[in-house]
Amino acid sequence: QKEVEQDPGPLSVPEGAIVSLNCTYSNSAFQYFMWYRQYSRKGPELLMYTYSSGNKEDGRFTAQVDKSSKYISLFIRDSQPSDSATYLCAIIPSYNTDKLIFGTGTRLQVFP
Amino acid sequence: DGGITQSPKYLFRKEGQNVTLSCEQNLNHDAMYWYRQDPGQGLRLIYYSQIVNDFQKGDIAEGYSVSREKKESFPLTVTSAQKNPTAFYLCASSMVGGGTEAFFGQGTRLTVV
């Protein structure tokens, strides 16, 4: 079983839709949770970072963590064509805080 | 501007040759990482280093080597022992400890011809 599972997609939605991207993880020792966005042929860039259960909002983006279910989500409201990218969840375990464990990434396409 | 610079952006290698990918950062970060990205597999950790002159193997270190002679630099050598080297390689850096976020370079696309 992979430590972090993420549906690779692709996910195709119309402009203005609410997008839900999800990851599950297997180890309760995982402590820090991040979402990265990666445009084609570019390096990933950090979108959201959280270390506690609950919601964290930044503009159109909301990161949600449910530690009891080992489930993390990223919601994008009012999606735009410029949101078309691959979204990677990343987790840092408490037993090695210098190690990032990535999901496979979900490819999102927002069409006008 | 602070950041991470990877070079070259595209690299072609003949089978049996070693090739070195460059990664430089001016963020004053102690930790640096190399990842490999293949379609449908996400990012897999090759090597990482938390301090100068020290580094650890990641999940897929076979066929790769690194050095960390300077804090700013963490070059990756893809050796002829790497059976399937064609991939997108990403370098990242972060502060040591505390679960801080990693910042990435723009990647090097290596193709074996």
Side-chain angles (χ1 to χ4, degrees), chain B residues 21-57:
Chain B
L21 282 59
S22 170
C23 178
E24 304 276 334
Q25 55 98 359
N26 61 4
L27 299 166
N28 199 32
H29 286 167
D30 290 300
M32 296 187 74
Y33 311 81
W34 274 105
Y35 290 89
R36 170 179 172 142
Q37 188 174 32
D38 297 282
Q41 295 202 48
L43 274 67
R44 292 184 290 167
L45 183 64
I46 304 172
Y47 269 98
Y48 66 104
S49 168
Q50 296 170 288
I51 195 169
V52 173
N53 293 323
D54 188 39
F55 46 83
Q56 288 79 40
K57 293 182 179 180

PDB file of all heavy atoms in Angstrom, chain B residues 21-57:
ATOM      1  N   LEU B  21      23.467  16.801 -13.479  1.00  0.00           N
ATOM      2  CA  LEU B  21      22.458  17.850 -13.455  1.00  0.00           C
ATOM      3  C   LEU B  21      22.820  18.825 -12.344  1.00  0.00           C
ATOM      4  O   LEU B  21      23.143  18.424 -11.228  1.00  0.00           O
ATOM      5  CB  LEU B  21      21.079  17.248 -13.181  1.00  0.00           C
ATOM      6  CG  LEU B  21      20.340  16.549 -14.317  1.00  0.00           C
ATOM      7  CD1 LEU B  21      21.135  15.376 -14.877  1.00  0.00           C
ATOM      8  CD2 LEU B  21      18.975  16.081 -13.840  1.00  0.00           C
ATOM      9  N   SER B  22      22.700  20.104 -12.668  1.00  0.00           N
ATOM     10  CA  SER B  22      23.097  21.137 -11.719  1.00  0.00           C
ATOM     11  C   SER B  22      21.896  21.660 -10.936  1.00  0.00           C
ATOM     12  O   SER B  22      20.800  21.796 -11.482  1.00  0.00           O
ATOM     13  CB  SER B  22      23.757  22.292 -12.471  1.00  0.00           C
ATOM     14  OG  SER B  22      23.959  23.409 -11.634  1.00  0.00           O
ATOM     15  N   CYS B  23      22.117  21.965  -9.648  1.00  0.00           N
ATOM     16  CA  CYS B  23      21.100  22.605  -8.822  1.00  0.00           C
ATOM     17  C   CYS B  23      21.794  23.583  -7.885  1.00  0.00           C
ATOM     18  O   CYS B  23      22.681  23.190  -7.108  1.00  0.00           O
ATOM     19  CB  CYS B  23      20.316  21.576  -8.026  1.00  0.00           C
ATOM     20  SG  CYS B  23      19.071  22.321  -6.941  1.00  0.00           S
ATOM     21  N   GLU B  24      21.399  24.836  -7.963  1.00  0.00           N
ATOM     22  CA  GLU B  24      21.967  25.893  -7.118  1.00  0.00           C
ATOM     23  C   GLU B  24      20.826  26.660  -6.447  1.00  0.00           C
ATOM     24  O   GLU B  24      19.829  26.962  -7.088  1.00  0.00           O
ATOM     25  CB  GLU B  24      22.781  26.877  -7.952  1.00  0.00           C
ATOM     26  CG  GLU B  24      23.896  26.251  -8.777  1.00  0.00           C
ATOM     27  CD  GLU B  24      25.170  26.059  -7.978  1.00  0.00           C
ATOM     28  OE1 GLU B  24      25.373  26.814  -6.997  1.00  0.00           O
ATOM     29  OE2 GLU B  24      25.957  25.163  -8.320  1.00  0.00           O
ATOM     30  N   GLN B  25      21.008  26.997  -5.158  1.00  0.00           N
ATOM     31  CA  GLN B  25      19.988  27.786  -4.464  1.00  0.00           C
ATOM     32  C   GLN B  25      20.651  28.926  -3.684  1.00  0.00           C
ATOM     33  O   GLN B  25      21.756  28.765  -3.159  1.00  0.00           O
ATOM     34  CB  GLN B  25      19.141  26.895  -3.533  1.00  0.00           C
ATOM     35  CG  GLN B  25      19.911  26.081  -2.516  1.00  0.00           C
ATOM     36  CD  GLN B  25      19.983  26.682  -1.120  1.00  0.00           C
ATOM     37  OE1 GLN B  25      19.450  27.762  -0.867  1.00  0.00           O
ATOM     38  NE2 GLN B  25      20.646  25.986  -0.214  1.00  0.00           N
ATOM     39  N   ASN B  26      19.961  30.050  -3.633  1.00  0.00           N
ATOM     40  CA  ASN B  26      20.443  31.198  -2.861  1.00  0.00           C
ATOM     41  C   ASN B  26      19.446  31.600  -1.783  1.00  0.00           C
ATOM     42  O   ASN B  26      19.334  32.773  -1.424  1.00  0.00           O
ATOM     43  CB  ASN B  26      20.770  32.366  -3.785  1.00  0.00           C
ATOM     44  CG  ASN B  26      19.559  32.837  -4.570  1.00  0.00           C
ATOM     45  OD1 ASN B  26      18.448  32.343  -4.371  1.00  0.00           O
ATOM     46  ND2 ASN B  26      19.751  33.795  -5.460  1.00  0.00           N
ATOM     47  N   LEU B  27      18.734  30.595  -1.271  1.00  0.00           N
ATOM     48  CA  LEU B  27      17.731  30.812  -0.229  1.00  0.00           C
ATOM     49  C   LEU B  27      18.305  30.604   1.172  1.00  0.00           C
ATOM     50  O   LEU B  27      17.578  30.719   2.157  1.00  0.00           O
ATOM     51  CB  LEU B  27      16.556  29.857  -0.449  1.00  0.00           C
ATOM     52  CG  LEU B  27      15.816  30.042  -1.786  1.00  0.00           C
ATOM     53  CD1 LEU B  27      14.899  28.849  -2.059  1.00  0.00           C
ATOM     54  CD2 LEU B  27      15.031  31.345  -1.772  1.00  0.00           C
ATOM     55  N   ASN B  28      19.586  30.259   1.238  1.00  0.00           N
ATOM     56  CA  ASN B  28      20.243  29.950   2.510  1.00  0.00           C
ATOM     57  C   ASN B  28      19.594  28.756   3.217  1.00  0.00           C
ATOM     58  O   ASN B  28      19.576  28.677   4.453  1.00  0.00           O
ATOM     59  CB  ASN B  28      20.253  31.170   3.453  1.00  0.00           C
ATOM     60  CG  ASN B  28      21.310  31.038   4.549  1.00  0.00           C
ATOM     61  OD1 ASN B  28      22.363  30.444   4.340  1.00  0.00           O
ATOM     62  ND2 ASN B  28      21.017  31.577   5.715  1.00  0.00           N
ATOM     63  N   HIS B  29      19.050  27.839   2.431  1.00  0.00           N
ATOM     64  CA  HIS B  29      18.446  26.632   2.984  1.00  0.00           C
ATOM     65  C   HIS B  29      19.521  25.586   3.261  1.00  0.00           C
ATOM     66  O   HIS B  29      20.456  25.411   2.482  1.00  0.00           O
ATOM     67  CB  HIS B  29      17.416  26.054   2.016  1.00  0.00           C
ATOM     68  CG  HIS B  29      16.152  26.838   1.966  1.00  0.00           C
ATOM     69  ND1 HIS B  29      15.199  26.654   0.972  1.00  0.00           N
ATOM     70  CD2 HIS B  29      15.648  27.785   2.793  1.00  0.00           C
ATOM     71  CE1 HIS B  29      14.185  27.461   1.201  1.00  0.00           C
ATOM     72  NE2 HIS B  29      14.435  28.166   2.296  1.00  0.00           N
ATOM     73  N   ASP B  30      19.343  24.873   4.371  1.00  0.00           N
ATOM     74  CA  ASP B  30      20.290  23.805   4.705  1.00  0.00           C
ATOM     75  C   ASP B  30      19.996  22.509   3.951  1.00  0.00           C
ATOM     76  O   ASP B  30      20.891  21.782   3.581  1.00  0.00           O
ATOM     77  CB  ASP B  30      20.257  23.528   6.214  1.00  0.00           C
ATOM     78  CG  ASP B  30      20.860  24.687   7.008  1.00  0.00           C
ATOM     79  OD1 ASP B  30      22.043  24.990   6.785  1.00  0.00           O
ATOM     80  OD2 ASP B  30      20.135  25.270   7.823  1.00  0.00           O
ATOM     81  N   ALA B  31      18.712  22.203   3.765  1.00  0.00           N
ATOM     82  CA  ALA B  31      18.323  20.932   3.174  1.00  0.00           C
ATOM     83  C   ALA B  31      18.088  21.067   1.671  1.00  0.00           C
ATOM     84  O   ALA B  31      17.494  22.045   1.213  1.00  0.00           O
ATOM     85  CB  ALA B  31      17.053  20.394   3.839  1.00  0.00           C
ATOM     86  N   MET B  32      18.561  20.082   0.929  1.00  0.00           N
ATOM     87  CA  MET B  32      18.311  20.032  -0.515  1.00  0.00           C
ATOM     88  C   MET B  32      17.925  18.619  -0.914  1.00  0.00           C
ATOM     89  O   MET B  32      18.331  17.654  -0.258  1.00  0.00           O
ATOM     90  CB  MET B  32      19.555  20.510  -1.298  1.00  0.00           C
ATOM     91  CG  MET B  32      19.890  21.972  -1.029  1.00  0.00           C
ATOM     92  SD  MET B  32      21.201  22.628  -2.071  1.00  0.00           S
ATOM     93  CE  MET B  32      20.348  22.815  -3.655  1.00  0.00           C
ATOM     94  N   TYR B  33      17.155  18.520  -1.979  1.00  0.00           N
ATOM     95  CA  TYR B  33      16.564  17.250  -2.380  1.00  0.00           C
ATOM     96  C   TYR B  33      16.633  17.085  -3.891  1.00  0.00           C
ATOM     97  O   TYR B  33      16.571  18.073  -4.628  1.00  0.00           O
ATOM     98  CB  TYR B  33      15.071  17.208  -1.982  1.00  0.00           C
ATOM     99  CG  TYR B  33      14.766  17.594  -0.569  1.00  0.00           C
ATOM    100  CD1 TYR B  33      14.682  18.935  -0.185  1.00  0.00           C
ATOM    101  CD2 TYR B  33      14.545  16.620   0.396  1.00  0.00           C
ATOM    102  CE1 TYR B  33      14.399  19.285   1.121  1.00  0.00           C
ATOM    103  CE2 TYR B  33      14.247  16.971   1.704  1.00  0.00           C
ATOM    104  CZ  TYR B  33      14.177  18.307   2.054  1.00  0.00           C
ATOM    105  OH  TYR B  33      13.888  18.649   3.349  1.00  0.00           O
ATOM    106  N   TRP B  34      16.664  15.828  -4.322  1.00  0.00           N
ATOM    107  CA  TRP B  34      16.458  15.506  -5.733  1.00  0.00           C
ATOM    108  C   TRP B  34      15.292  14.530  -5.840  1.00  0.00           C
ATOM    109  O   TRP B  34      15.250  13.516  -5.137  1.00  0.00           O
ATOM    110  CB  TRP B  34      17.699  14.861  -6.347  1.00  0.00           C
ATOM    111  CG  TRP B  34      18.685  15.853  -6.852  1.00  0.00           C
ATOM    112  CD1 TRP B  34      19.873  16.207  -6.294  1.00  0.00           C
ATOM    113  CD2 TRP B  34      18.587  16.631  -8.051  1.00  0.00           C
ATOM    114  NE1 TRP B  34      20.512  17.147  -7.053  1.00  0.00           N
ATOM    115  CE2 TRP B  34      19.738  17.431  -8.145  1.00  0.00           C
ATOM    116  CE3 TRP B  34      17.616  16.731  -9.077  1.00  0.00           C
ATOM    117  CZ2 TRP B  34      19.965  18.312  -9.202  1.00  0.00           C
ATOM    118  CZ3 TRP B  34      17.834  17.612 -10.114  1.00  0.00           C
ATOM    119  CH2 TRP B  34      19.007  18.384 -10.177  1.00  0.00           C
ATOM    120  N   TYR B  35      14.369  14.855  -6.748  1.00  0.00           N
ATOM    121  CA  TYR B  35      13.237  13.995  -7.042  1.00  0.00           C
ATOM    122  C   TYR B  35      13.235  13.645  -8.522  1.00  0.00           C
ATOM    123  O   TYR B  35      13.691  14.411  -9.370  1.00  0.00           O
ATOM    124  CB  TYR B  35      11.907  14.708  -6.733  1.00  0.00           C
ATOM    125  CG  TYR B  35      11.626  14.937  -5.281  1.00  0.00           C
ATOM    126  CD1 TYR B  35      12.057  16.097  -4.641  1.00  0.00           C
ATOM    127  CD2 TYR B  35      10.925  13.992  -4.534  1.00  0.00           C
ATOM    128  CE1 TYR B  35      11.792  16.316  -3.298  1.00  0.00           C
ATOM    129  CE2 TYR B  35      10.653  14.210  -3.187  1.00  0.00           C
ATOM    130  CZ  TYR B  35      11.090  15.370  -2.592  1.00  0.00           C
ATOM    131  OH  TYR B  35      10.830  15.578  -1.259  1.00  0.00           O
ATOM    132  N   ARG B  36      12.648  12.509  -8.791  1.00  0.00           N
ATOM    133  CA  ARG B  36      12.395  12.092 -10.162  1.00  0.00           C
ATOM    134  C   ARG B  36      10.883  12.042 -10.347  1.00  0.00           C
ATOM    135  O   ARG B  36      10.153  11.551  -9.466  1.00  0.00           O
ATOM    136  CB  ARG B  36      13.011  10.723 -10.398  1.00  0.00           C
ATOM    137  CG  ARG B  36      12.622  10.081 -11.696  1.00  0.00           C
ATOM    138  CD  ARG B  36      13.275   8.744 -11.874  1.00  0.00           C
ATOM    139  NE  ARG B  36      12.707   8.083 -13.048  1.00  0.00           N
ATOM    140  CZ  ARG B  36      13.409   7.340 -13.896  1.00  0.00           C
ATOM    141  NH1 ARG B  36      14.696   7.126 -13.682  1.00  0.00           N
ATOM    142  NH2 ARG B  36      12.822   6.795 -14.944  1.00  0.00           N
ATOM    143  N   GLN B  37      10.416  12.536 -11.495  1.00  0.00           N
ATOM    144  CA  GLN B  37       8.985  12.518 -11.774  1.00  0.00           C
ATOM    145  C   GLN B  37       8.728  11.794 -13.082  1.00  0.00           C
ATOM    146  O   GLN B  37       9.280  12.162 -14.130  1.00  0.00           O
ATOM    147  CB  GLN B  37       8.413  13.943 -11.844  1.00  0.00           C
ATOM    148  CG  GLN B  37       6.904  13.991 -11.933  1.00  0.00           C
ATOM    149  CD  GLN B  37       6.362  15.406 -11.848  1.00  0.00           C
ATOM    150  OE1 GLN B  37       6.990  16.364 -12.275  1.00  0.00           O
ATOM    151  NE2 GLN B  37       5.169  15.559 -11.268  1.00  0.00           N
ATOM    152  N   ASP B  38       7.918  10.757 -13.016  1.00  0.00           N
ATOM    153  CA  ASP B  38       7.475  10.016 -14.189  1.00  0.00           C
ATOM    154  C   ASP B  38       5.960  10.106 -14.273  1.00  0.00           C
ATOM    155  O   ASP B  38       5.284  10.227 -13.243  1.00  0.00           O
ATOM    156  CB  ASP B  38       7.893   8.541 -14.080  1.00  0.00           C
ATOM    157  CG  ASP B  38       9.391   8.361 -14.060  1.00  0.00           C
ATOM    158  OD1 ASP B  38       9.981   8.436 -15.151  1.00  0.00           O
ATOM    159  OD2 ASP B  38       9.966   8.166 -12.979  1.00  0.00           O
ATOM    160  N   PRO B  39       5.405  10.023 -15.475  1.00  0.00           N
ATOM    161  CA  PRO B  39       3.945  10.109 -15.622  1.00  0.00           C
ATOM    162  C   PRO B  39       3.238   9.075 -14.754  1.00  0.00           C
ATOM    163  O   PRO B  39       3.579   7.894 -14.765  1.00  0.00           O
ATOM    164  CB  PRO B  39       3.728   9.841 -17.114  1.00  0.00           C
ATOM    165  CG  PRO B  39       5.010  10.230 -17.764  1.00  0.00           C
ATOM    166  CD  PRO B  39       6.084   9.872 -16.778  1.00  0.00           C
ATOM    167  N   GLY B  40       2.241   9.511 -14.010  1.00  0.00           N
ATOM    168  CA  GLY B  40       1.436   8.601 -13.203  1.00  0.00           C
ATOM    169  C   GLY B  40       2.099   8.106 -11.938  1.00  0.00           C
ATOM    170  O   GLY B  40       1.504   7.308 -11.202  1.00  0.00           O
ATOM    171  N   GLN B  41       3.316   8.587 -11.642  1.00  0.00           N
ATOM    172  CA  GLN B  41       4.005   8.089 -10.441  1.00  0.00           C
ATOM    173  C   GLN B  41       4.335   9.181  -9.446  1.00  0.00           C
ATOM    174  O   GLN B  41       4.942   8.920  -8.439  1.00  0.00           O
ATOM    175  CB  GLN B  41       5.285   7.362 -10.837  1.00  0.00           C
ATOM    176  CG  GLN B  41       5.027   6.112 -11.642  1.00  0.00           C
ATOM    177  CD  GLN B  41       6.181   5.135 -11.576  1.00  0.00           C
ATOM    178  OE1 GLN B  41       6.686   4.835 -10.500  1.00  0.00           O
ATOM    179  NE2 GLN B  41       6.614   4.649 -12.729  1.00  0.00           N
ATOM    180  N   GLY B  42       3.994  10.375  -9.706  1.00  0.00           N
ATOM    181  CA  GLY B  42       4.289  11.441  -8.765  1.00  0.00           C
ATOM    182  C   GLY B  42       5.785  11.679  -8.631  1.00  0.00           C
ATOM    183  O   GLY B  42       6.572  11.331  -9.518  1.00  0.00           O
ATOM    184  N   LEU B  43       6.180  12.258  -7.507  1.00  0.00           N
ATOM    185  CA  LEU B  43       7.580  12.571  -7.256  1.00  0.00           C
ATOM    186  C   LEU B  43       8.188  11.495  -6.362  1.00  0.00           C
ATOM    187  O   LEU B  43       7.650  11.180  -5.310  1.00  0.00           O
ATOM    188  CB  LEU B  43       7.706  13.931  -6.561  1.00  0.00           C
ATOM    189  CG  LEU B  43       7.749  15.170  -7.456  1.00  0.00           C
ATOM    190  CD1 LEU B  43       6.434  15.385  -8.168  1.00  0.00           C
ATOM    191  CD2 LEU B  43       8.119  16.391  -6.628  1.00  0.00           C
ATOM    192  N   ARG B  44       9.318  10.965  -6.786  1.00  0.00           N
ATOM    193  CA  ARG B  44      10.006   9.968  -5.972  1.00  0.00           C
ATOM    194  C   ARG B  44      11.371  10.506  -5.574  1.00  0.00           C
ATOM    195  O   ARG B  44      12.117  11.020  -6.396  1.00  0.00           O
ATOM    196  CB  ARG B  44      10.137   8.661  -6.765  1.00  0.00           C
ATOM    197  CG  ARG B  44       8.796   7.985  -7.013  1.00  0.00           C
ATOM    198  CD  ARG B  44       8.975   6.650  -7.723  1.00  0.00           C
ATOM    199  NE  ARG B  44       9.420   6.822  -9.095  1.00  0.00           N
ATOM    200  CZ  ARG B  44       9.884   5.829  -9.844  1.00  0.00           C
ATOM    201  NH1 ARG B  44       9.989   4.604  -9.337  1.00  0.00           N
ATOM    202  NH2 ARG B  44      10.241   6.069 -11.091  1.00  0.00           N
ATOM    203  N   LEU B  45      11.700  10.344  -4.297  1.00  0.00           N
ATOM    204  CA  LEU B  45      12.912  10.920  -3.729  1.00  0.00           C
ATOM    205  C   LEU B  45      14.130  10.090  -4.086  1.00  0.00           C
ATOM    206  O   LEU B  45      14.170   8.874  -3.833  1.00  0.00           O
ATOM    207  CB  LEU B  45      12.765  11.021  -2.208  1.00  0.00           C
ATOM    208  CG  LEU B  45      13.914  11.657  -1.440  1.00  0.00           C
ATOM    209  CD1 LEU B  45      14.080  13.124  -1.838  1.00  0.00           C
ATOM    210  CD2 LEU B  45      13.667  11.537   0.060  1.00  0.00           C
ATOM    211  N   ILE B  46      15.148  10.756  -4.650  1.00  0.00           N
ATOM    212  CA  ILE B  46      16.385  10.071  -5.038  1.00  0.00           C
ATOM    213  C   ILE B  46      17.426  10.178  -3.923  1.00  0.00           C
ATOM    214  O   ILE B  46      17.923   9.182  -3.412  1.00  0.00           O
ATOM    215  CB  ILE B  46      16.945  10.666  -6.349  1.00  0.00           C
ATOM    216  CG1 ILE B  46      15.907  10.616  -7.470  1.00  0.00           C
ATOM    217  CG2 ILE B  46      18.205   9.913  -6.774  1.00  0.00           C
ATOM    218  CD1 ILE B  46      16.328  11.360  -8.730  1.00  0.00           C
ATOM    219  N   TYR B  47      17.782  11.394  -3.578  1.00  0.00           N
ATOM    220  CA  TYR B  47      18.736  11.690  -2.507  1.00  0.00           C
ATOM    221  C   TYR B  47      18.310  12.975  -1.814  1.00  0.00           C
ATOM    222  O   TYR B  47      17.642  13.824  -2.396  1.00  0.00           O
ATOM    223  CB  TYR B  47      20.141  11.912  -3.076  1.00  0.00           C
ATOM    224  CG  TYR B  47      21.006  10.685  -3.174  1.00  0.00           C
ATOM    225  CD1 TYR B  47      21.134   9.999  -4.375  1.00  0.00           C
ATOM    226  CD2 TYR B  47      21.746  10.234  -2.078  1.00  0.00           C
ATOM    227  CE1 TYR B  47      21.944   8.880  -4.485  1.00  0.00           C
ATOM    228  CE2 TYR B  47      22.557   9.107  -2.176  1.00  0.00           C
ATOM    229  CZ  TYR B  47      22.652   8.438  -3.389  1.00  0.00           C
ATOM    230  OH  TYR B  47      23.470   7.336  -3.487  1.00  0.00           O
ATOM    231  N   TYR B  48      18.734  13.120  -0.557  1.00  0.00           N
ATOM    232  CA  TYR B  48      18.578  14.396   0.097  1.00  0.00           C
ATOM    233  C   TYR B  48      19.759  14.659   1.019  1.00  0.00           C
ATOM    234  O   TYR B  48      20.458  13.736   1.438  1.00  0.00           O
ATOM    235  CB  TYR B  48      17.239  14.510   0.837  1.00  0.00           C
ATOM    236  CG  TYR B  48      17.054  13.595   2.022  1.00  0.00           C
ATOM    237  CD1 TYR B  48      17.148  14.077   3.328  1.00  0.00           C
ATOM    238  CD2 TYR B  48      16.718  12.255   1.847  1.00  0.00           C
ATOM    239  CE1 TYR B  48      16.939  13.246   4.414  1.00  0.00           C
ATOM    240  CE2 TYR B  48      16.508  11.425   2.934  1.00  0.00           C
ATOM    241  CZ  TYR B  48      16.615  11.923   4.207  1.00  0.00           C
ATOM    242  OH  TYR B  48      16.398  11.095   5.291  1.00  0.00           O
ATOM    243  N   SER B  49      19.944  15.932   1.313  1.00  0.00           N
ATOM    244  CA  SER B  49      21.076  16.361   2.131  1.00  0.00           C
ATOM    245  C   SER B  49      20.590  17.423   3.102  1.00  0.00           C
ATOM    246  O   SER B  49      19.920  18.367   2.715  1.00  0.00           O
ATOM    247  CB  SER B  49      22.174  16.935   1.234  1.00  0.00           C
ATOM    248  OG  SER B  49      23.160  17.609   1.988  1.00  0.00           O
ATOM    249  N   GLN B  50      20.955  17.244   4.363  1.00  0.00           N
ATOM    250  CA  GLN B  50      20.539  18.202   5.386  1.00  0.00           C
ATOM    251  C   GLN B  50      21.657  19.158   5.770  1.00  0.00           C
ATOM    252  O   GLN B  50      21.423  20.157   6.445  1.00  0.00           O
ATOM    253  CB  GLN B  50      20.046  17.460   6.622  1.00  0.00           C
ATOM    254  CG  GLN B  50      18.795  16.631   6.365  1.00  0.00           C
ATOM    255  CD  GLN B  50      18.469  15.728   7.531  1.00  0.00           C
ATOM    256  OE1 GLN B  50      19.156  14.752   7.777  1.00  0.00           O
ATOM    257  NE2 GLN B  50      17.424  16.060   8.261  1.00  0.00           N
ATOM    258  N   ILE B  51      22.885  18.817   5.354  1.00  0.00           N
ATOM    259  CA  ILE B  51      24.031  19.631   5.754  1.00  0.00           C
ATOM    260  C   ILE B  51      25.154  19.372   4.766  1.00  0.00           C
ATOM    261  O   ILE B  51      25.205  18.309   4.116  1.00  0.00           O
ATOM    262  CB  ILE B  51      24.460  19.290   7.200  1.00  0.00           C
ATOM    263  CG1 ILE B  51      25.383  20.362   7.765  1.00  0.00           C
ATOM    264  CG2 ILE B  51      25.078  17.907   7.276  1.00  0.00           C
ATOM    265  CD1 ILE B  51      25.622  20.220   9.264  1.00  0.00           C
ATOM    266  N   VAL B  52      26.065  20.314   4.675  1.00  0.00           N
ATOM    267  CA  VAL B  52      27.206  20.168   3.759  1.00  0.00           C
ATOM    268  C   VAL B  52      27.988  18.909   4.103  1.00  0.00           C
ATOM    269  O   VAL B  52      28.149  18.550   5.274  1.00  0.00           O
ATOM    270  CB  VAL B  52      28.098  21.425   3.843  1.00  0.00           C
ATOM    271  CG1 VAL B  52      29.371  21.231   3.039  1.00  0.00           C
ATOM    272  CG2 VAL B  52      27.352  22.642   3.339  1.00  0.00           C
ATOM    273  N   ASN B  53      28.453  18.237   3.047  1.00  0.00           N
ATOM    274  CA  ASN B  53      29.276  17.021   3.159  1.00  0.00           C
ATOM    275  C   ASN B  53      28.542  15.832   3.764  1.00  0.00           C
ATOM    276  O   ASN B  53      29.180  14.885   4.252  1.00  0.00           O
ATOM    277  CB  ASN B  53      30.573  17.293   3.949  1.00  0.00           C
ATOM    278  CG  ASN B  53      31.514  18.220   3.206  1.00  0.00           C
ATOM    279  OD1 ASN B  53      31.622  18.156   1.978  1.00  0.00           O
ATOM    280  ND2 ASN B  53      32.177  19.095   3.943  1.00  0.00           N
ATOM    281  N   ASP B  54      27.216  15.878   3.723  1.00  0.00           N
ATOM    282  CA  ASP B  54      26.422  14.741   4.209  1.00  0.00           C
ATOM    283  C   ASP B  54      25.167  14.605   3.354  1.00  0.00           C
ATOM    284  O   ASP B  54      24.556  15.613   2.981  1.00  0.00           O
ATOM    285  CB  ASP B  54      26.046  14.935   5.670  1.00  0.00           C
ATOM    286  CG  ASP B  54      25.406  13.685   6.252  1.00  0.00           C
ATOM    287  OD1 ASP B  54      25.866  12.572   5.927  1.00  0.00           O
ATOM    288  OD2 ASP B  54      24.448  13.819   7.028  1.00  0.00           O
ATOM    289  N   PHE B  55      24.798  13.375   3.022  1.00  0.00           N
ATOM    290  CA  PHE B  55      23.576  13.147   2.254  1.00  0.00           C
ATOM    291  C   PHE B  55      23.080  11.730   2.522  1.00  0.00           C
ATOM    292  O   PHE B  55      23.840  10.866   2.986  1.00  0.00           O
ATOM    293  CB  PHE B  55      23.794  13.380   0.752  1.00  0.00           C
ATOM    294  CG  PHE B  55      25.037  12.739   0.193  1.00  0.00           C
ATOM    295  CD1 PHE B  55      25.050  11.402  -0.174  1.00  0.00           C
ATOM    296  CD2 PHE B  55      26.198  13.488   0.022  1.00  0.00           C
ATOM    297  CE1 PHE B  55      26.195  10.823  -0.695  1.00  0.00           C
ATOM    298  CE2 PHE B  55      27.349  12.918  -0.495  1.00  0.00           C
ATOM    299  CZ  PHE B  55      27.343  11.572  -0.851  1.00  0.00           C
ATOM    300  N   GLN B  56      21.786  11.531   2.258  1.00  0.00           N
ATOM    301  CA  GLN B  56      21.152  10.241   2.506  1.00  0.00           C
ATOM    302  C   GLN B  56      20.430   9.768   1.255  1.00  0.00           C
ATOM    303  O   GLN B  56      19.912  10.566   0.474  1.00  0.00           O
ATOM    304  CB  GLN B  56      20.122  10.342   3.642  1.00  0.00           C
ATOM    305  CG  GLN B  56      20.724  10.507   5.024  1.00  0.00           C
ATOM    306  CD  GLN B  56      21.157  11.929   5.276  1.00  0.00           C
ATOM    307  OE1 GLN B  56      20.475  12.874   4.903  1.00  0.00           O
ATOM    308  NE2 GLN B  56      22.295  12.086   5.916  1.00  0.00           N
ATOM    309  N   LYS B  57      20.379   8.460   1.095  1.00  0.00           N
ATOM    310  CA  LYS B  57      19.620   7.876  -0.009  1.00  0.00           C
ATOM    311  C   LYS B  57      18.130   8.041   0.236  1.00  0.00           C
ATOM    312  O   LYS B  57      17.647   7.908   1.359  1.00  0.00           O
ATOM    313  CB  LYS B  57      19.954   6.392  -0.154  1.00  0.00           C
ATOM    314  CG  LYS B  57      21.375   6.120  -0.610  1.00  0.00           C
ATOM    315  CD  LYS B  57      21.599   4.625  -0.777  1.00  0.00           C
ATOM    316  CE  LYS B  57      23.026   4.343  -1.256  1.00  0.00           C
ATOM    317  NZ  LYS B  57      23.268   2.890  -1.436  1.00  0.00           N
TER     318      LYS B  57
END
